[in-house]
Amino acid sequence: MSVSPIRVTVWGENVHEQRDASVKELYPDGMHGAIANGITKNLGDDVVVVRTATLQEPEHGLTEDVLNQTDVLTWWGHAAHGEVSDEVVDRVQRHVLSGMGLLVLHSGHFSKIFRRLMGTSCVLDWRSDNDRELVWTVAPHHPIAEGVPSPIIIPAQEMYGEHFDIPQPDELIFISSFTGGEVFRSGCAYRRGHGRVFYFSPGDQEYPVYHHADVLKVLANAVSWAAPASREREAPSVSRRPTGWYETGESLPTADPRLAQS
Amino acid sequence: MSVSPIRVTVWGENVHEQRDASVKELYPDGMHGAIANGITKNLGDDVVVVRTATLQEPEHGLTEDVLNQTDVLTWWGHAAHGEVSDEVVDRVQRHVLSGMGLLVLHSGHFSKIFRRLMGTSCVLDWRSDNDRELVWTVAPHHPIAEGVPSPIIIPAQEMYGEHFDIPQPDELIFISSFTGGEVFRSGCAYRRGHGRVFYFSPGDQEYPVYHHADVLKVLANAVSWAAPASREREAPSVSRRPTGWYETGESLPTADPRLAQS
Amino acid sequence: MSVSPIRVTVWGENVHEQRDASVKELYPDGMHGAIANGITKNLGDDVVVVRTATLQEPEHGLTEDVLNQTDVLTWWGHAAHGEVSDEVVDRVQRHVLSGMGLLVLHSGHFSKIFRRLMGTSCVLDWRSDNDRELVWTVAPHHPIAEGVPSPIIIPAQEMYGEHFDIPQPDELIFISSFTGGEVFRSGCAYRRGHGRVFYFSPGDQEYPVYHHADVLKVLANAVSWAAPASREREAPSVSRRPTGWYETGESLPTADPRLAQS
Amino acid sequence: MSVSPIRVTVWGENVHEQRDASVKELYPDGMHGAIANGITKNLGDDVVVVRTATLQEPEHGLTEDVLNQTDVLTWWGHAAHGEVSDEVVDRVQRHVLSGMGLLVLHSGHFSKIFRRLMGTSCVLDWRSDNDRELVWTVAPHHPIAEGVPSPIIIPAQEMYGEHFDIPQPDELIFISSFTGGEVFRSGCAYRRGHGRVFYFSPGDQEYPVYHHADVLKVLANAVSWAAPASREREAPSVSRRPTGWYETGESLPTADPRLAQS
């Protein structure tokens, strides 16, 4: 079972909300606010404790302390991926590899952290023209798909289309279609180190997607799925082992000269 | 079918060969020389054209020109991963995502380029104490396993043991065991963008592994497998698409403002 | 590389062609005839040798001899899956596990042989109402996707929709969308034993899909991909091994009492 | 989360226990008894309710009623795979595809049900000569690996070696090595339909493996992992869908003529 309560940090770029009247109107509390509310509503106060953090805060609100107290981080960014400091990206990656769960949302496909964890360009096709999106479940008994209809009908959305340059997902959970006929692997789960990563594409600042009950249900399911089993944040490490070490429990110090070049 | 002939660049760090008498003696032409010879011997002059490149050369011998003329790059590094410039790593990654094949060998698991393409730490357990390594084939009809015995017996080798922090391979081809009882996923294949990546662990500067006929056969097979079908190096790209574009072939310019933040 | 020439057997149920005037008109040589012609046209007489076989023939045209001389078998069935004898299905499975390639087409998802190799029910959603199908490539540099546009536009087709109860494909190559908004994993590749299996969904007896140039190109690519490297048909087998057998090459007889219960 | 309590049926062939004095002595309650006790001890009476069933019972103790009240079934067989009736195998497969979890143990690799769900021959190499088995974890944060050391040391065991003719696991969790140097993918997880399947190789009637604390811990973890989220046993089914059905919820009857040939 996972940690309880699950401590969630909802990270929002918070640029469009400040800059674009249309977005401010759709999301008075920011997309991060809407997402945080949705997760709390779905899982309940005894199951989850949710906070938000934004780009503009010192260290983008993602200090070592904050991450040590985060079981699952959600990430939405779009206009300012380049402004996220490499130092914070390194820190987030280290925490994911050490067990922290990560949900990457929509245009977050182009974030430094998602591209870092995937190793690919993460490019795709797109169009913002009020397509209707249908999110179909291809893994019906996966925990992330629990309690959501197939298809989820999102009346107005930005189209994302293949080819989506990602590694083949460890588990493919949702595939979307759009009015224009495009398809997209919209729900993709990965393991990276000790952590779980889930990419979910629906959501755009110009559409009320983060008020959609089924979308919020998926995010809540994904938080539960991505939460680690333990609060111990242990990074995978190099170990130099003498022969038969497991018979005696003996191992050489883990401080390894090769770690210097990481 | 793949390009013909396959143009291979064998990249070697060339530090141990210069620094350690034992390595210079084992590998008078460098490990990169032994690997290059082995590939040519196995595939033949009409199938493959092999060159070498080393860390010490300008741009580590991996200029834009060289990579444009490389169908498959092999990579061995150990003591100087940190000295490989980020600019060259970016360039190599771009070429892999655009179709260039990549073979990563032994301690190359800790290279910047492998960690970049995997997104994980790539750490492992190790011991250099003359273990015998047995390389077992778990995908017997995979092209990379063609014509090699199972197990391949390597009388003396450095032990690599699990947990090897890599993403689950798209295809697992070899698993090794060592005298001390450790196991290791020693042959792992991945797709990254348009390119194919194969990691093969046997090989250490203190042991004559790159003179082993079966090991060289695997590397030759892997070169054939990783070679792209075309010399056109096309990177995956973002495209903005109007509705029904595929009916008319119309698409907006590929110059997309979001590419600036890559 | 694979065997040359590739010997292909195109198996057709040949029931609709006899029974339904509309089908006979669309496919005067049967769907199997159209498929066979398409493969030959695409690959050429020096690369491939194609024969057909039908349900009505003795042993459904798939005797031990025929299968021994078949490198890749294609399978289309719909109305008479239950009439295929279990003995022939056992034989085909044995040959696939021993190295023969298999292409399963459209309603062949419900064939005994496909369900045998998948282990699942292979059910799906469907509708026959002239949907337009768009076949999108999600693995653009996979050999099976070579030389076909993305999307392939099929003006009129039977809709197949998720949830498609198959094991997660080893490689997902195509995803289709339909006018009604449904999506379907339309190009799925698997390894089973020593053989390669590719399922491709477009194709229905009431629509001229097997005259579509891009569809036939995919089938030709898939034949090349699925063809084994050798004509030796070796089944995976149980072996009892003495300790250190690989040092001496000694092994006990492969005749193993447990094989009796297969 | 999963059903609570988890109702487990531990199925044992119960032939060796009756026939071989050595086995009767090692396992006075049968291997199924030892496994059942181990699961209950690890998970607790409030989490799990365990029963056993054997080959000799009517319908092998696996009636429709029993399976309807089973959330996870474990399977150990060896000498009498052929005596399991096809009707019971059909029933078990239907329940797994409908959501029941399945753990297949050791020589159960050759059971009708495992071969049915895999679609391959499931053959392997073997030797019964007191090898020491080391079970290494390659997916350290997988729930099935929780609380078990890496490696698990099993002092005396039957050797199972590659090539193990199974489909590539959806998740590979354990790899074993043996004194003789062989390796084996000893912990393999799959999804089949709505159900979860886990194969775990350690365990042989001549060795006290099912009294080993770490082995029993793995089995208990696997029971938790495989348990479905709901007691509703819904089989995947064919549905004929009119255009836009999801807008209105309308669908044609699920009784589909094609189901007759299942």
Side-chain angles (χ1 to χ4, degrees), chain B residues 168-231:
Chain B
Q168 180 159 277
D170 293 335
E171 300 173 286
L172 178 62
I173 299 156
F174 299 109
I175 294 175
S176 288
S177 71
F178 296 85
T179 316
E182 286 89 356
V183 300
F184 195 73
R185 287 165 292 166
S186 45
C188 304
Y190 298 90
R191 289 328 193 271
R192 286 294 183 269
H194 298 159
R196 294 179 165 196
V197 181
F198 180 63
Y199 173 78
F200 191 55
S201 58
D204 184 271
Q205 70 278 7
E206 299 290 348
Y207 304 93
V209 182
Y210 294 118
H211 296 300
H212 192 302
D214 296 328
V215 169
L216 294 172
K217 174 65 173 159
V218 170
L219 297 186
N221 290 343
V223 161
S224 294
W225 171 82
S230 150
R231 290 228 157 103

Side-chain angles (χ1 to χ4, degrees), chain D residues 16-63:
Chain D
H16 288 282
E17 289 90 339
Q18 304 309 317
R19 199 184 72 185
D20 305 339
S22 52
V23 179
K24 198 190 302 257
E25 194 176 322
L26 262 181
Y27 296 107
D29 297 319
M31 279 174 280
H32 43 287
I35 292 167
N37 289 341
I39 291 172
T40 304
K41 266 220 187 80
N42 270 289
L43 293 179
D45 285 336
D46 53 324
V47 174
V48 71
V49 172
V50 187
R51 65 194 290 176
T52 62
T54 60
L55 176 73
Q56 296 78 19
E57 298 172 35
E59 297 183 69
H60 313 311
L62 301 173
T63 61

Side-chain angles (χ1 to χ4, degrees), chain B residues 132 134 171 191 246-247, chain C residues 132 134 171 191 246-247:
Chain B
R132 177 183 72 176
L134 301 174
E171 300 173 286
R191 289 328 193 271
Y246 43 82
E247 287 154 348
Chain C
R132 177 182 73 177
L134 301 174
E171 299 173 285
R191 275 356 181 256
Y246 43 83
E247 285 153 348

Side-chain angles (χ1 to χ4, degrees), chain B residues 1 98-99 132 134 136 140-143 146 150-151 153 170-171 191 193-196 224 229 232 234 245-247, chain C residues 1 98-99 132 134 136 140-143 146 150-151 153 170-171 191 193-196 229 232 234 245-247:
Chain B
M1 307 281 87
S98 304
R132 177 183 72 176
L134 301 174
W136 299 89
H141 274 57
H142 195 282
E146 196 181 316
S150 182
I153 305 175
D170 293 335
E171 300 173 286
R191 289 328 193 271
H194 298 159
R196 294 179 165 196
S224 294
E232 270 181 54
E234 53 160 315
W245 66 271
Y246 43 82
E247 287 154 348
Chain C
M1 304 287 87
S98 305
R132 177 182 73 177
L134 301 174
W136 298 89
H141 275 58
H142 195 282
E146 197 181 316
S150 183
I153 305 175
D170 293 336
E171 299 173 285
R191 275 356 181 256
H194 297 159
R196 295 179 166 196
E232 269 181 57
E234 53 160 316
W245 66 271
Y246 43 83
E247 285 153 348

Side-chain angles (χ1 to χ4, degrees), chain A residues 170-171 191 196, chain B residues 168, chain C residues 167-168 170, chain D residues 102-104 114 117-118 138-139 142-145 164 166-175 185-192 195-201 218 221-222 225-226:
Chain A
D170 293 335
E171 299 174 286
R191 274 0 178 253
R196 295 179 165 195
Chain B
Q168 180 159 277
Chain C
Q168 179 160 278
D170 293 336
Chain D
L102 178 69
L103 270 50
V104 180
F114 189 65
L117 290 165
M118 294 296 108
V138 299
H142 195 281
I144 293 180
F164 185 23
I166 47 170
Q168 179 160 277
D170 293 336
E171 300 172 285
L172 179 61
I173 299 156
F174 299 109
I175 295 176
R185 287 166 291 167
S186 44
C188 305
Y190 298 90
R191 272 1 180 254
R192 287 294 182 266
R196 295 179 164 194
V197 181
F198 179 63
Y199 173 78
F200 190 54
S201 59
V218 169
N221 290 344
W225 170 83

Side-chain angles (χ1 to χ4, degrees), chain A residues 1 98-99 132 134 136 140-143 146 150-151 153 170-171 191 193-194 196 224 229 232 234 245-247, chain D residues 1 98-99 132 134 136 140-143 146 150-151 153 170-171 191 193-194 196 229 232 234 245-247:
Chain A
M1 307 286 85
S98 304
R132 178 182 71 177
L134 301 174
W136 297 89
H141 274 56
H142 194 282
E146 197 181 317
S150 182
I153 305 175
D170 293 335
E171 299 174 286
R191 274 0 178 253
H194 297 159
R196 295 179 165 195
S224 294
E232 270 181 56
E234 52 159 319
W245 66 271
Y246 43 83
E247 286 153 348
Chain D
M1 308 284 88
S98 304
R132 177 183 72 177
L134 301 173
W136 298 89
H141 275 59
H142 195 281
E146 196 181 314
S150 182
I153 305 176
D170 293 336
E171 300 172 285
R191 272 1 180 254
H194 298 159
R196 295 179 164 194
E232 270 180 56
E234 54 160 315
W245 66 270
Y246 43 83
E247 286 154 349

